[in-house]
Amino acid sequence: MPYEFSFYKDADFDEIEQIVLASYQWEYPIWGLSRHEFARGLHPAFTGHYHAWHHTVGVYRENGKVAACVINEGNYNGEVFFLFDSKERGEDTELLRDMLKFAKTHAAAVKEDRRTRGLNLYVPAWNTVLKEMAMHSGFHELEWGEELYILPFGKEPFDVKLPDGYTFADGNTIPDFYLSNTHRFSFGYGGDDHACEHGEQAFHNLRKMKHYRKNLDLCVLDEQKRPIAMAIIWYDENMPYCELEPLGVVWWERRKGIATAVLQEAANRVQQMFPKCIGMLGGNQPFYQRIGFEKKTFIPTYHWELEIFISWEKESYDKDYAKEV
């Protein structure tokens, strides 16, 4: 194989990000800029898995440059994404064979039985070569996948409406814990979760990422100036659209139009700063569709799993696991 393999090192981050940005030229990437910076910036402190990428991400170089990567969100949950520096690279069968093997052996999750390894691999529709190789090597297509929805920007700014007495603030003034508090009250994690104590540090780290912009880190404050909603937008001028990650509204302020308002305010700011940006990537929940987000693509998910017996168990005596990967 003409590729040089290495485990991820922090010095690889920017070069991997360049192939992520290049992918917008031929697809709606499921692993886009926001996922790349969010996973690296937030997840280590948020999950406590500071070395997950170093242990589970594989980098492939050709002539010294990153050509492909097996990557995940750094939480050992078995969700895997393949990145390539070109569409043609993504159809290199020799490369794909080793990427599939690495994913199965190093990036798979371990189920509660402590035996079964499992992977969910996202394969875009254009990559029929990867699909066929994955199916041949034991994956099967699931009924669900990931849908990408984008809010198109028009010629006129959005008419933003907040409840009376509520105001916007942004990263120029709001402290880190305003984000972690809002996120915690929006998604319901508590004292037993690592993120409850370390969420503030996680958002502090996220704010250090390359594409973080204070003006696109929005918070909604109530009449007492307490934070009750937040949204962060990510964008590079090599992208046709910007990306939202995350969005949260605290549980006691829902159904007041606040999420719509913060997204529309963010959209107006993006359009003012970057007139060439044509839209905003959001989530795939019904809320986004109701406020104008349009489905652009569906990315199928392929699942693989294998039961691995402990070496001294009799069930393992006649197993040749090398043939299974």
Side-chain angles (χ1 to χ4, degrees), residues 34-325:
S34 60
R35 206 162 204 158
H36 193 58
E37 298 212 355
F38 193 80
R40 177 63 183 85
L42 186 95
H43 281 176
F46 200 77
T47 64
H49 301 151
Y50 285 92
H51 302 293
W53 270 15
H54 304 98
H55 302 160
T56 65
V57 170
V59 180
Y60 295 80
R61 293 180 179 272
E62 185 182 55
N63 299 322
K65 295 183 178 180
V66 174
C69 183
V70 177
I71 202 164
N72 57 73
E73 292 189 333
N75 48 20
Y76 298 103
N77 68 354
E79 286 197 332
V80 181
F81 307 82
F82 286 5
L83 310 180
F84 307 99
D85 65 349
S86 69
K87 207 170 185 179
E88 293 72 25
R89 186 86 66 188
E91 299 172 334
D92 183 330
T93 57
E94 189 175 4
L95 171 63
L96 294 179
R97 188 173 297 110
D98 196 74
M99 293 177 77
L100 286 166
K101 179 179 179 179
F102 177 78
K104 291 177 178 180
T105 54
H106 287 77
V110 180
K111 292 191 173 183
E112 291 182 0
D113 63 6
R114 310 298 294 175
R115 291 179 174 177
T116 306
R117 273 62 170 177
L119 279 176
N120 283 335
L121 172 65
Y122 296 87
V123 181
W126 64 263
N127 201 334
T128 56
V129 176
L130 175 56
K131 173 186 175 180
E132 291 172 3
M133 290 186 67
M135 299 281 280
H136 184 73
S137 69
F139 285 81
H140 66 273
E141 186 173 354
L142 299 178
E143 293 182 357
W144 57 270
E146 184 145 334
E147 298 173 330
L148 302 187
Y149 286 83
I150 292 176
L151 176 69
F153 293 164
K155 295 182 179 180
E156 300 297 325
F158 290 97
D159 182 17
V160 181
K161 297 178 180 179
L162 281 176
D164 290 344
Y166 289 53
T167 55
F168 290 111
D170 60 31
N172 289 288
T173 59
I174 55 177
D176 301 326
F177 86 91
Y178 275 28
L179 301 182
S180 58
N181 257 16
T182 303
H183 196 269
R184 178 163 60 92
F185 296 140
S186 300
F187 297 102
Y189 50 92
D192 292 337
D193 296 299
H194 183 88
C196 189
E197 179 65 19
H198 301 280
E200 180 177 0
Q201 182 64 51
F203 277 99
H204 175 81
N205 297 343
L206 184 63
R207 285 174 148 185
K208 300 295 183 182
M209 298 308 295
K210 179 179 179 180
H211 287 86
Y212 169 80
R213 292 182 173 86
K214 293 181 178 180
N215 291 351
L216 299 180
D217 173 5
L218 298 182
C219 210
V220 177
L221 308 179
D222 67 11
E223 305 99 324
Q224 303 300 325
K225 304 303 180 186
R226 291 190 287 256
I228 51 88
M230 52 87 73
I232 302 178
I233 305 298
W234 306 88
Y235 182 65
D236 182 283
E237 291 183 85
N238 290 306
M239 299 160 55
Y241 52 85
C242 64
E243 297 178 345
L244 165 71
E245 186 64 62
L247 169 69
V249 178
V250 299
W251 56 267
W252 63 90
E253 294 281 0
R254 293 174 183 166
R255 311 296 179 252
K256 295 182 179 180
I258 293 171
T260 301
V262 73
L263 292 187
Q264 291 179 342
E265 172 68 16
N268 287 347
R269 293 190 182 201
V270 171
Q271 291 179 85
Q272 187 172 20
M273 296 168 66
F274 306 105
K276 293 183 179 180
C277 182
I278 64 171
M280 176 192 296
L281 180 74
N284 58 8
Q285 296 87 7
F287 157 74
Y288 293 94
Q289 300 166 48
R290 287 199 301 270
I291 67 170
F293 283 75
E294 300 173 356
K295 181 179 175 179
K296 294 300 182 180
T297 192
F298 172 79
I299 302 173
T301 307
Y302 295 83
H303 182 74
W304 170 89
E305 65 179 48
L306 182 66
E307 187 175 23
I308 308 294
F309 293 98
I310 299 172
S311 60
W312 57 78
E313 294 180 316
K314 63 180 182 180
E315 293 90 344
S316 76
Y317 292 171
D318 61 350
K319 295 290 185 180
D320 184 357
Y321 291 119
K323 294 180 179 179
E324 302 288 343
V325 296

